[in-house]
Amino acid sequence: MTITVQMVLERLTGPVGRLDPTVDTLKSGRMDAEVRKVAVVFMATYAIIKQAVESGADLIITHEPTYYNHTDEGAWLSGNAVYERKRALIEESGVAIFRLHDYVHSYKPDGILTGMLKKLEWEAYSDPAEINLLTPPSSERHTVRSIASHMKSRLGIESMLIAGDPDLPVRRFGLMPGASGGRRHIEFLESRD
């Protein structure tokens, strides 16, 4: 059986139903193109697209925009050397690129948050009614510093910016990956004791 881009996208978007409006659209390629290999990435940078194509990927699923703004508008970049080089790579390779942002955040539970909890090994800390509110067992002692150190280790990152006292004891905390906006983050934290 031949698997097509459309079949993969229907599988990814099906659990949610139709979203309108959405930024989740096919950014390049054809819906009827055959898919033998998929690359799943957080951001489709030039280097990542090149690596995916070289590895034989027919379809790239990206969470963030391909063309530098939320709605992937590129006309304003026409003539820009960086944009044109990236666009040429995509067109010449024939790779299909689909943005999976709104749908994955609409999964119940949120797909990005669920993945982060698994990667950080914090599923047991999460409240099933509100999975981004985390409460470690009282037998565990945590500080802002220990939480940041754990995240750095599990995510393989070298540095993390901490605002405030890194030795502040923590008994509950919120995990809100991404850039949903300062207002949303602050309102979430203010509504908790």
Side-chain angles (χ1 to χ4, degrees), residues 60-73:
I60 298 172
I61 307 292
T62 182
H63 184 65
E64 295 299 345
T66 301
Y67 291 117
Y68 317 111
N69 61 63
H70 187 62
T71 56
D72 276 305
E73 299 162 313

Side-chain angles (χ1 to χ4, degrees), residues 5 22 41 58 64 68 99 113 121 132 157 172 175 191:
V5 169
T22 182
V41 305
D58 308 294
E64 295 299 345
Y68 317 111
R99 178 149 184 221
L113 184 56
E121 299 177 338
N132 57 332
I157 56 178
R172 289 193 330 168
L175 179 65
S191 66

Side-chain angles (χ1 to χ4, degrees), residues 11-137:
R11 181 76 183 259
L12 293 170
T13 61
V16 174
R18 183 166 168 73
L19 289 180
D20 189 31
T22 182
V23 295
D24 295 3
T25 59
L26 190 64
K27 306 303 176 185
S28 69
R30 299 182 345 267
M31 289 293 236
D32 64 345
E34 183 178 5
V35 175
R36 294 175 305 279
K37 191 171 188 179
V38 178
V40 179
V41 305
F42 193 73
M43 184 176 290
T45 64
Y46 181 90
I48 293 294
I49 294 167
K50 188 171 188 234
Q51 181 181 2
V53 168
E54 288 172 353
S55 75
D58 308 294
L59 172 61
I60 298 172
I61 307 292
T62 182
H63 184 65
E64 295 299 345
T66 301
Y67 291 117
Y68 317 111
N69 61 63
H70 187 62
T71 56
D72 276 305
E73 299 162 313
W76 62 281
L77 289 165
S78 183
N80 176 284
V82 173
Y83 168 78
E84 295 296 347
R85 185 171 177 215
K86 186 175 191 179
R87 192 172 60 79
L89 170 65
I90 293 167
E91 288 177 9
E92 290 166 12
S93 71
V95 69
I97 300 177
F98 179 74
R99 178 149 184 221
L100 183 65
H101 182 273
D102 299 342
Y103 280 93
V104 76
H105 282 302
S106 296
Y107 291 173
K108 300 294 181 215
D110 180 298
I112 297 296
L113 184 56
T114 301
M116 286 292 289
L117 288 170
K118 285 181 183 176
K119 181 69 177 174
L120 294 167
E121 299 177 338
W122 285 344
E123 299 104 318
Y125 292 2
S126 102
D127 178 341
E130 194 168 20
I131 68 168
N132 57 332
L133 181 60
L134 308 178
T135 308

Side-chain angles (χ1 to χ4, degrees), residues 119 150-158:
K119 181 69 177 174
H150 178 80
M151 292 179 75
K152 286 169 46 179
S153 172
R154 293 293 304 151
L155 299 175
I157 56 178
E158 292 183 22

Side-chain angles (χ1 to χ4, degrees), residues 141-148 162-173:
R141 301 288 178 227
H142 290 282
T143 63
V144 172
R145 183 187 315 274
S146 70
I147 290 169
I162 295 175
D165 180 1
D167 296 315
L168 181 74
V170 175
R171 63 178 180 85
R172 289 193 330 168
F173 59 101

